[in-house]
Amino acid sequence: MMSSFSLAALTVLELAPPAQIDVAAACGYDHVGIRLLPAMAGGVAYPLMDDEAGLKETLARLDATGITVADLEVVAFRPETGIASFAAFFETGARLGAKNILIAAYDPDLARFADRYAGFCEAAAPYGLTADLEFMPWTYVPDLATASRIVAQAGQPNAGILVDALHFDRSNSSIADLARVAAHRLHYWQLCDAPAERPATTEEMIHAARYERMFPGEGGIDLTSLARAMPADIAISIEVPTAELAKTVDAKTRAQRALAAARNVIAAARA
C-alpha cells in the first residue's frame, strides 16, 4: 500500500500557508498541515479564520495544486480554554477540507481536560474533523498510555491519538503499548528523527522538539519498528524543524530532503 505524506507546518514554519502548499506540491507531497493557532504564546501561526484574504488565497492554491489539508494545529488546552471559542476555527477547517486537529494538554486537571476534550470532539464532529490527542513528555498527557486512557474515556467516534516519533521515543512508550491501540483511533502520525541519547532536562527536550530534529533515518530513533507498527493507510506528517539548517538552506530544499528521507525509511520498514 502506498503511503501518503504531509508537509507539517513546523518543518517550514517561515512559510505562510499558500507558499507552504506550493512547496509541498513542488516536492511531491500529498498534503499539508496548517498552523492556525500558535503552540505557545507569541509563537508563529497563520490564523486564517481571522484573515479572509489569506484564506481565499490558500483555498486557491489548494485547488490549483491538488494538495489537501491533513491537519490543523495547535489546539493547546489550558485551564481557561473554552470550547465555544473554536467556532470560527472549525468553520475554517471545514472550508479548507481539513481532516484532523492536533490537540495538546496543558491543563493539570486531567479530569477537567478529559471532559473538555470529549466536548471538543463533539463540537468538531459536524465539521468532519477528528480531534487527535498528541502525547508529549512535558505536557499533562506525557505518554501513549495516558493518551489512550483519555481517548477511551471520551468515547467519541472522532477521538484519536497522534503518535509523534520523537515523543514516542522520549516518553518511553512502547510498541507493545501501540499494539493495544485500536487502528480506528490512529488517523495520521508524525515522522522525524533525533539522537539516541535523550535530553537531560525538560527544557532541553522542548527546545530539541521545536528546533533541532533530524531528518528520518539520520538519527538514533528506532523508526523501523514504529513504522511497521503504524497503519499503512494513514497519512505520515513529516515534522522536522531544523533551526540551524534553516539559516542557510531554503524551505523547499529542506522539504525535499525531509520527504526523500521519509520515503526511504518507510520503504525499508515495509520491504
Side-chain angles (χ1 to χ4, degrees), residues 75 77 83 86 89-90 101 103 116-125 131:
V75 174
F77 265 86
I83 297 170
F86 291 103
F89 179 90
F90 293 142
I101 300 171
I103 310 292
R116 290 181 179 175
Y117 171 67
F120 185 92
C121 290
E122 290 181 349

Side-chain angles (χ1 to χ4, degrees), residues 76-161:
F77 265 86
R78 296 182 168 84
E80 68 277 11
T81 301
I83 297 170
S85 65
F86 291 103
F89 179 90
F90 293 142
E91 291 167 4
T92 299
R95 289 179 66 182
L96 290 167
K99 297 184 180 302
N100 315 119
I101 300 171
L102 188 158
I103 310 292
Y106 290 95
D107 187 344
D109 186 335
L110 274 187
R112 176 175 58 200
F113 168 71
D115 182 66
R116 290 181 179 175
Y117 171 67
F120 185 92
C121 290
E122 290 181 349
Y127 298 91
L129 292 159
T130 68
D132 297 272
L133 179 56
E134 182 175 17
F135 57 94
M136 293 175 270
W138 60 86
T139 67
Y140 293 99
V141 177
D143 52 33
L144 177 57
T146 307
S148 297
R149 186 173 68 252
I150 289 175
V151 167
Q153 182 179 336
Q156 298 298 316
N158 61 333
I161 298 170

Side-chain angles (χ1 to χ4, degrees), residues 65-233:
T65 62
I67 294 290
T68 61
V69 178
D71 65 283
L72 306 176
E73 303 179 350
V74 177
V75 174
F77 265 86
R78 296 182 168 84
E80 68 277 11
T81 301
I83 297 170
S85 65
F86 291 103
F89 179 90
F90 293 142
E91 291 167 4
T92 299
R95 289 179 66 182
L96 290 167
K99 297 184 180 302
N100 315 119
I101 300 171
L102 188 158
I103 310 292
Y106 290 95
D107 187 344
D109 186 335
L110 274 187
R112 176 175 58 200
F113 168 71
D115 182 66
R116 290 181 179 175
Y117 171 67
F120 185 92
C121 290
E122 290 181 349
Y127 298 91
L129 292 159
T130 68
D132 297 272
L133 179 56
E134 182 175 17
F135 57 94
M136 293 175 270
W138 60 86
T139 67
Y140 293 99
V141 177
D143 52 33
L144 177 57
T146 307
S148 297
R149 186 173 68 252
I150 289 175
V151 167
Q153 182 179 336
Q156 298 298 316
N158 61 333
I161 298 170
L162 176 56
V163 176
D164 178 310
L166 181 68
H167 305 323
F168 183 85
D169 179 81
R170 286 354 189 193
S171 66
N172 292 312
S173 297
S174 71
I175 296 298
D177 294 332
L178 187 54
R180 289 189 285 270
V181 177
H184 73 274
R185 294 301 187 192
L186 300 169
H187 303 124
Y188 72 110
W189 65 288
Q190 295 177 327
L191 180 61
C192 69
D193 215 332
E197 183 178 355
R198 292 166 181 157
T201 67
T202 298
E203 290 71 22
E204 290 174 355
M205 189 180 296
I206 293 172
H207 181 82
R210 290 176 176 168
Y211 305 107
E212 296 179 349
R213 301 195 190 198
M214 300 173 71
F215 294 103
E218 297 184 9
I221 296 177
D222 182 6
L223 297 178
T224 299
S225 295
L226 180 58
R228 287 174 177 165
M230 296 301 297
D233 60 345

